[in-house]
Every structure is written in C-alpha cells, then in structure tokens.
C-alpha cells in the first residue's frame, strides 16, 4: 500500500533499448524471465531480470512470511500467464479452472518456477532490497532476480490457503500444453525457452495479437489477456495463425512484423463509413474501413508538446517529475510512503517524452 520508491529504472531503460534496437522477442523473453540463469550472464542480462522484481513486496510488521510468499508467487504466475500465454491461470489458485483445462496442480507447478529466488518477501521499506547489481559509471543499484542453489518446488495449497499445504510439486507447465523439452532445466530458464519454443501454440499468437491491437485499436482476439473459453473468439483465425508463423519464422523480429501490418492494405484504408457496412458490421470487427480509436493520454500529451516545440526527446536515466495538476498526486499517495510528496522538476525535465 505504501508504494515506496524502489531503485529499478535501469530495467526500464533495458526495455526501451530492447525495442529500439529490435531485440528478437524470444531473447527479450528469456533475458527478462531468466537472464540470471544464462551461462556467464552480462550485467545487462541481470538488469533484465528486474521484470521479476516489479511486484508487490512488504515491510509491514504484521505480515506473515508464508502468506506473502504465496501471494507473490501467485502474482508472478498470473502476470506471466496473461502476458505470454493469454491464459487466466489465477482462476486455478483455489480449485481447478472452471472453464479452461487448467488444474489447480498445474497452477502450483507453475508457481514452483518462481518460488526459488533469494529475494526476501520483506523489503524493510528500503529502495534497494537485495539482490541487486550496480550499473553505469555512477554504480546505480538496480533490483534483479537471483536463483537459489536448491531445487525449486511448491506445495498445492488447499483452497489457496497458505495454512493448508498439500502435495509437494516440482516446476512444470499445464498438462494440456506441450511439455518442457527434456534438454532444458526445470527452472525459470526452461520455462522461458518453452514459452518461445516453436511447439508452443500460444506465445506467438498472444504477442502478435497485442501488437495488432496497438495499431488497429483492438486485437484479432479482443481479449488479449484471455485466449481461453471465456475470452473472445478470433475475428480472423487464419490471419492470426499466419501472423504468428511469420513472427517466429522472421526470428521474432518485431519491427519486421510492424512493417508487415503498417504496409498492409487493411491498415492503409480510409476511415470512411457506409450505411451498408455499418449495418453488417457496426463494430468494424472485420476491418472493412480504417479504424478510429482514442489516443492514450501519454500520446496526447506528447503530441501537444511536439506541436508547441517544447517536446524533449531525451531517453533514459533516472525518472523525472513533470508538471501535475494541483492535488492530483496527494489524492493517491500514502502519507507514510517515501513517495508521499511530489517535488516537480524544472527546465527540460518538464517536457520529456512519455513512456507508452
């Protein structure tokens, strides 16, 4: 609840640089989920594992370690499942999934991947709870993930309660999907490689669907975080399949895929409506005309700054604090947090590009 400051902006710079340099998405995935487990990892690959530290921690005196460790593992499983697999695995915390073929045991086998790190669930309300590495000329500390030397495992929690541990399980992926390669370790590195393996039916489709949604306002599957039974059906399954295959065969080249979509006749259509078209497809699900959708607030801000000549395109480094309407920050900040007060920057820092 305190939302204290944590030193992790080098991870943000890693993500921005990865996209700008067109890092292959499979490498991007592996470094974020398991950069520390690569042979002789570079500092950059360690920084990438900050992904696993962008989660809740606590310094509350009354917190129970086992309870919070279970919550933290649940958060990581849900995040990875939604982002890469398009599945709602969190629905199997307390019981088998009500709609998708995911068992409770499947969930806790996934949780085992994330319950073997050296991070303490208690952060003592400090900005750099270990583990961390120092980066750059000024040795800026940034949070990273580090694996223990022990074998990972988890307990199946009856009704999802940390007080009711049941079967002890080893790491694994949902039984309904292709399994980990026998050549890969049963840890976060094995999971990361499995996510981007050619045999995985989900990741490429989920990823390309998100980029499609960025360009067209809605995905081919309009529930990008849910490819399960209760999610939306694809409006064009063959197109989604073709794009996913193209993504993998291109070497997970994101800029190539963006060019493919941006240069398509579908994207270059005018946003002209006709009464006949509106009658047949009022939601433009089949993209018979160019889409029209609202811009995000960050895009509007940057467009206004660019039009006025004020926009500063500097990228990277410690976070800046641009102008805010009076009272906005105080309405959401905790009085006991290290971020309770907002001190506005001056000069060019007020007009830096947004991140989106």
């Amino acid at each position: 609840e305190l939302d204290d400051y944590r030193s992790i902006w080098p991870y943000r710079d890693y993500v921005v640089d990865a996209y700008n340099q067109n890092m292959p998405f499979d490498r991007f995935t592996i470094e974020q989920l398991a950069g520390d487990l690569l042979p002789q990892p570079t500092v950059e690959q360690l920084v990438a594992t900050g992904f696993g530290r962008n989660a809740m921690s606590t310094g509350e005196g009354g917190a129970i370690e086992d309870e919070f460790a279970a919550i933290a593992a649940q958060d990581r499983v849900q995040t990875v499942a939604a982002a890469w697999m398009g599945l709602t695995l969190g629905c199997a915390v307390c019981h088998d999934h009500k709609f998708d073929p995911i068992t409770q045991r499947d969930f806790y086998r996934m949780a085992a991947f994330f319950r073997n790190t050296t991070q303490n669930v208690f952060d003592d309300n400090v900005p750099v709870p270990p583990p961390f590495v120092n980066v750059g000329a000024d040795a800026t500390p940034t949070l990273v993930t580090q694996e223990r030397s022990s074998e990972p495992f988890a307990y199946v929690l009856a009704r999802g309660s940390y007080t009711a541990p049941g079967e002890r399980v080893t790491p694994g992926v949902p039984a309904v999907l292709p399994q980990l390669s026998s050549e890969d370790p049963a840890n976060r590195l094995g999971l990361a490689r499995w996510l981007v393996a050619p045999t995985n039916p989900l990741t490429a489709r989920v990823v390309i669907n998100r980029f499609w949604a960025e360009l067209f306002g809605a995905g081919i599957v309009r529930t990008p975080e849910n490819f399960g039974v209760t999610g939306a059906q694809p409006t064009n399954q063959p197109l989604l399949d073709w794009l996913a295959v193209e993504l993998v065969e291109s070497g997970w080249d994101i800029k190539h895929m963006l060019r493919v979509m941006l240069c398509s006749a579908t994207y270059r259509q005018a946003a002209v409506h006709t009464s006949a078209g509106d009658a047949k497809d009022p939601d433009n699900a089949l993209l018979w005309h160019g889409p029209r959708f609202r811009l995000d607030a960050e895009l509007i801000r940057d467009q206004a700054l660019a039009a006025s000549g004020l926009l500063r395109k500097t990228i990277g480094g410690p976070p800046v604090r641009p102008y805010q309407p009076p009272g906005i920050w105080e309405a959401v900040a905790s009085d006991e947090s290290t971020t309770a007060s907002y001190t506005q920057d001056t000069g060019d820092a007020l007009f830096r590009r947004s991140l989106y």
Side-chain angles (χ1 to χ4, degrees):
E1 291 183 2
L2 293 181
D3 197 20
D4 282 339
Y5 174 78
R6 62 182 72 183
S7 182
I8 200 169
W9 62 259
Y11 167 71
R12 176 253 291 152
D13 282 1
Y14 165 85
V15 172
V16 173
D17 291 344
Y19 277 111
N20 285 340
Q21 296 166 12
N22 200 27
M23 179 185 291
F25 194 84
D26 55 346
R27 175 185 161 192
F28 186 52
T29 295
I30 291 169
E31 291 186 356
Q32 288 186 91
L33 290 177
D36 59 307
L37 295 174
L38 292 170
Q40 299 180 323
T42 65
V43 172
E44 180 187 58
Q45 289 169 334
L46 294 176
V47 169
T49 66
F51 171 81
R53 301 296 299 277
N54 276 300
M56 293 185 297
S57 57
T58 185
E60 183 181 349
I64 300 171
E65 184 174 1
D66 287 347
E67 179 182 23
F68 207 85
I71 292 172
Q74 177 180 335
D75 177 77
R76 286 165 174 79
V77 172
Q78 289 176 308
T79 299
V80 170
W84 275 274
M85 302 164 67
L87 294 177
T88 55
L89 257 64
C91 294
V93 173
C94 304
H95 47 68
D96 293 348
H97 201 293
K98 294 292 186 182
F99 304 101
D100 297 335
I102 306 294
T103 66
Q104 188 186 25
R105 189 173 189 272
D106 287 335
F107 176 87
Y108 287 101
R109 293 200 72 196
M110 284 287 292
F113 286 115
F114 303 101
R115 296 206 61 167
N116 200 46
T117 64
T118 61
Q119 177 193 354
N120 195 310
V121 297
F122 299 118
D123 61 15
D124 298 321
N125 291 332
V126 297
V128 195
F132 62 88
V133 296
N134 295 320
V135 299
D138 57 354
T140 298
T142 186
L143 307 184
V144 298
T145 303
Q146 183 181 61
E147 190 83 346
R148 293 175 183 154
S149 58
S150 56
E151 293 296 317
F153 70 92
Y155 291 106
V156 177
L157 302 182
R159 301 177 304 281
S161 174
Y162 74 95
T163 62
E167 179 190 2
R168 175 172 165 147
V169 293
T170 54
V173 298
V176 71
L177 296 171
Q179 296 300 289
L180 294 175
S181 168
S182 59
E183 299 178 359
D184 289 327
N187 57 19
R188 285 180 288 111
L189 181 57
L191 173 65
R193 288 173 174 167
W194 173 81
L195 284 170
V196 293
T199 54
N200 191 306
L202 291 172
T203 303
R205 289 176 173 84
V206 170
V207 169
I208 202 63
N209 187 65
R210 291 185 188 277
F211 284 109
W212 182 276
E214 285 292 318
L215 300 181
F216 291 93
I220 298 172
V221 175
R222 296 201 169 199
T223 52
E225 77 293 341
N226 185 3
F227 273 45
V229 172
T230 60
Q233 292 296 305
T235 55
N236 191 329
Q237 182 73 60
L239 175 59
L240 180 63
D241 294 345
W242 183 86
L243 288 168
V245 171
E246 181 70 12
L247 172 61
V248 175
E249 292 185 347
S250 73
W252 296 86
D253 188 329
I254 297 301
K255 289 191 176 183
H256 165 72
M257 297 308 301
L258 291 173
R259 281 191 292 269
V260 167
M261 291 183 283
L262 289 168
C263 292
S264 68
T266 304
Y267 183 81
R268 290 182 290 144
Q269 292 180 104
V272 177
H273 289 244
T274 66
S275 56
D278 284 334
K280 291 182 178 180
D281 183 14
D283 295 329
N284 195 32
L286 300 178
L287 294 171
W288 56 274
H289 66 76
R292 299 174 67 183
F293 53 93
R294 295 180 183 274
L295 292 177
D296 292 333
E298 293 83 359
L299 293 170
I300 295 173
R301 172 187 180 271
D302 282 9
Q303 287 193 0
L305 290 173
S308 66
L310 291 171
L311 184 66
R312 299 294 178 263
K313 297 184 179 180
T314 305
I315 297 176
V320 296
R321 296 173 176 82
Y323 49 85
Q324 298 273 5
I328 270 243
W329 189 266
E330 290 73 15
V332 297
S334 169
D335 291 339
E336 300 177 10
S337 172
T338 58
T339 58
S341 60
Y342 187 88
T343 303
Q344 182 174 296
D345 278 325
T346 59
D348 285 354
L350 295 175
F351 310 113
R352 290 273 298 272
R353 283 185 60 185
S354 305
L355 286 178
Y356 38 78

